[in-house]
Amino acid sequence: MDLIERIDEWARAAPEHLAHVSRERTLTYGELARRSAALAAWLLRALPDDRAPIAVQGHKEPEMLIAFLGAVKAGHPYIPIDVTTPPARVERIVATARAPLTLTPARVAAIVAEAGDAAPDPVHRVAANDPFYIIFTSGSTGEPKGVVITLACLTSFLDWMLAEQRLVEQRETFLNQAPFSFDLSVMDTYLSLATGGTLFSIDKDDIANPAQLYRALTHSNATVWVSTPSFAQMCLVEKTFSAAMLPRVRRFLFCGETLAPEVAAALLDRFPDAQVWNTYGPTETTVATTSVRIDGETLTRYRPLPVGYAKPDSRVVVLDEDGRVAVNGERGEIVIAGPNVSPGYISRPDLTAKAFFTLYGMPAYHTGDWGYFQNGLLFYEGRRDQQVKLHGHRIELGDVEANLQALPGVRDGVVLVKMKDGAPDSLAAFVILNDHSADSEFEISRALKNRMAERLPVYMIPRKFHFLSAFPMTANGKADRKKLAEMLA
Ligand code: AMP
């Protein structure tokens, strides 16, 4: 049984069981199977001759899941795009992927309402080596890049997590914090759907309103918590965020950025019946490739915390500067090989050739992450390039810079991360203007932010702009990022 059949099987076994809860809206397994089949039948009629990706733009609506499954049942991968993405960036994503159609929750609901009960022909489904989803991440030149993930990649990830996490079928409720456009959401969404669980979404308005968020969490009854460490850290500010609020939670699964020991320790303290897991991996290798349980002993033994052991069907190695496998404890670039490695970036053979290669006869990916092994455990030590993680969001500083430099009136721009208490806090831009107009720096900053918001998601917009007449230079004539960073300290 492949993943799609497995999800449909829950619709036969337990059609009334809740597959998704999003605010006051619910979706049962029966509804999910019927409606995604109806959408797939419609797609097969609307696009009979191609298997092009289908863009799906929305937020946490049940129609998002219907659209994802509807697409793959008709043989199309889907591209999840969050509703907060500005139209100019959506256009670039759609153009790069040559997506013939962008579905919204309203459109999905209308199609499903009209379509009736026609079931799609199963032979059209996405097969193992076909693309299943394409997630766009920040690209260093200002163009988002689309990571292609096949059904086989996703299956390799899920089979590993299912074997390791010992979830109880039809009994789990998974917290869905990350937007569907971020591959962390794949962890909660498909672990839940594969095990007949319930996916409980919290949305951006919940996250922006603490009282509402804690009400939603109390109401969730979650047993498996999936989020970025930043999100858990934010929740920990609330004293009542504990087993009293979430009495059924048994697992905290983290991925996407550094898990601070203080966060893990506080969670173990406040949720004595729950396990805390750190998992690591880029979108290009399907959510996560390594994992480790962080218990009291791991906390006392290691600083920083390890990111884990490789999943059994994959190889994770650290390569030194000469491309040789580094010895234990030696620092180098983390390389991941295995069936979970993406075939590459859509429509970008140039970027694909740079990052992907073959190792041990398996597809492999240069993560750009520094790391080392100790006692068989992988440790993460930062990036070799200008990619950063800000509150869980993956951002190429070059992406922000390219979009800043393209604005009229801007002669040059450098974007850096401002740190606070040792952790990334916000983006700061250094700008050289073509000419200093009569406007105040406050007004110019506001105008630049507004212009950038037309092109970039809100989390990629610098919080503060510093105006200079020239940048400090390095010996070889580049803007001296180190000196600029010192100006932020
Ligand atoms: P994304 O593709 O958004 O999942 O981002 C992947 C990048 O996030 C990785 O290449 C790492 O730089 C970072 N990352 C992911 N998981 C972890 C982790 N557990 N600890 C530290 N950094 C992480």
Side-chain angles (χ1 to χ4, degrees), residues 182-183 256-258 278-283 369 380 383 389 394:
F182 177 12
D183 87 329
E257 61 182 355
T258 299
N278 193 13
T279 76
Y280 155 87
T283 304
D369 289 329
Y380 167 82
R383 294 286 306 172
K389 275 283 171 143
R394 170 169 160 178

Side-chain angles (χ1 to χ4, degrees), residues 35-297:
R35 293 176 193 175
S36 58
L39 177 64
W42 182 90
L43 282 170
L44 286 169
R45 283 197 305 278
L47 301 166
D49 303 320
D50 75 39
R51 294 191 155 213
I54 306 293
V56 183
Q57 191 179 18
H59 190 51
K60 297 294 179 95
E61 300 84 356
E63 285 80 10
M64 296 299 279
L65 298 189
I66 296 169
F68 301 163
L69 286 183
V72 294
K73 283 181 176 179
H76 298 262
Y78 62 88
I79 308 170
I81 305 176
D82 194 66
V83 72
T84 54
T85 314
R89 199 155 173 103
V90 176
E91 263 172 38
R92 276 142 71 198
I93 291 173
V94 164
T96 305
R98 296 192 196 93
L101 185 68
T102 302
L103 294 173
T104 59
R107 183 94 199 270
V108 171
I111 293 169
V112 166
E114 244 176 50
D117 270 344
D121 182 344
V123 298
H124 287 92
R125 285 179 171 192
V126 162
N129 291 319
D130 291 340
F132 190 93
Y133 65 76
I134 300 167
I135 283 188
F136 275 79
T137 74
S138 183
S140 58
T141 56
E143 286 299 319
K145 52 187 187 192
V147 182
V148 176
I149 296 297
T150 64
L151 174 57
C153 292
L154 178 57
T155 305
S156 159
F157 163 71
L158 284 174
D159 285 350
W160 163 59
M161 281 294 240
L162 290 170
E164 182 176 80
Q165 293 298 326
R166 303 183 180 282
L167 305 162
V168 187
E169 291 191 338
Q170 285 191 290
R171 287 285 176 276
E172 310 284 359
T173 297
F174 292 76
L175 182 78
N176 161 241
Q177 169 253 325
F180 293 119
S181 52
F182 177 12
D183 87 329
L184 176 59
S185 68
V186 168
M187 188 184 291
D188 43 77
T189 303
Y190 289 103
L191 282 180
S192 186
L193 293 177
T195 56
T198 301
L199 187 70
F200 187 96
S201 286
I202 49 173
D203 62 30
K204 58 184 172 45
D205 296 335
D206 293 326
I207 294 170
N209 177 337
Q212 196 172 306
L213 171 65
Y214 296 117
R215 259 201 313 279
L217 291 179
T218 307
H219 176 66
S220 73
N221 251 327
T223 61
V224 184
W225 174 286
V226 181
S227 83
T228 57
S230 306
F231 182 71
Q233 188 165 21
M234 185 187 89
C235 292
L236 281 165
V237 172
E238 168 61 44
K239 296 274 175 297
T240 62
F241 177 70
S242 65
M245 183 183 286
L246 288 154
R248 292 180 66 217
V249 78
R250 294 293 174 268
R251 266 155 229 281
F252 286 87
L253 306 182
F254 292 114
C255 192
E257 61 182 355
T258 299
L259 174 62
E262 299 75 27
V263 171
L267 291 171
L268 289 174
D269 183 45
R270 293 207 206 167
F271 297 88
D273 293 333
Q275 301 179 358
V276 171
W277 288 76
N278 193 13
T279 76
Y280 155 87
T283 304
E284 284 84 344
T285 62
T286 320
V287 194
T289 306
T290 68
S291 71
V292 60
R293 186 175 161 192
I294 307 293
D295 55 13
E297 199 203 320

Side-chain angles (χ1 to χ4, degrees), residues 306-375:
V307 297
Y309 303 98
K311 61 205 259 295
D313 62 354
S314 305
R315 290 283 298 270
V316 177
V317 289
V318 167
L319 296 186
D320 69 13
E321 267 170 22
D322 303 323
R324 280 192 297 258
V325 176
V327 296
N328 211 13
E330 200 185 339
R331 187 175 184 232
E333 188 193 18
I334 302 171
V335 163
I336 297 174
N340 51 320
V341 173
S342 153
Y345 302 111
I346 191 161
S347 313
R348 294 303 302 264
D350 52 337
L351 296 179
T352 303
K354 267 194 208 151
F356 294 89
F357 64 116
T358 303
L359 188 68
Y360 307 121
M362 297 187 282
Y365 174 65
H366 285 286
T367 64
D369 289 329
W370 292 122
Y372 60 92
F373 275 99
Q374 191 185 335
N375 305 329

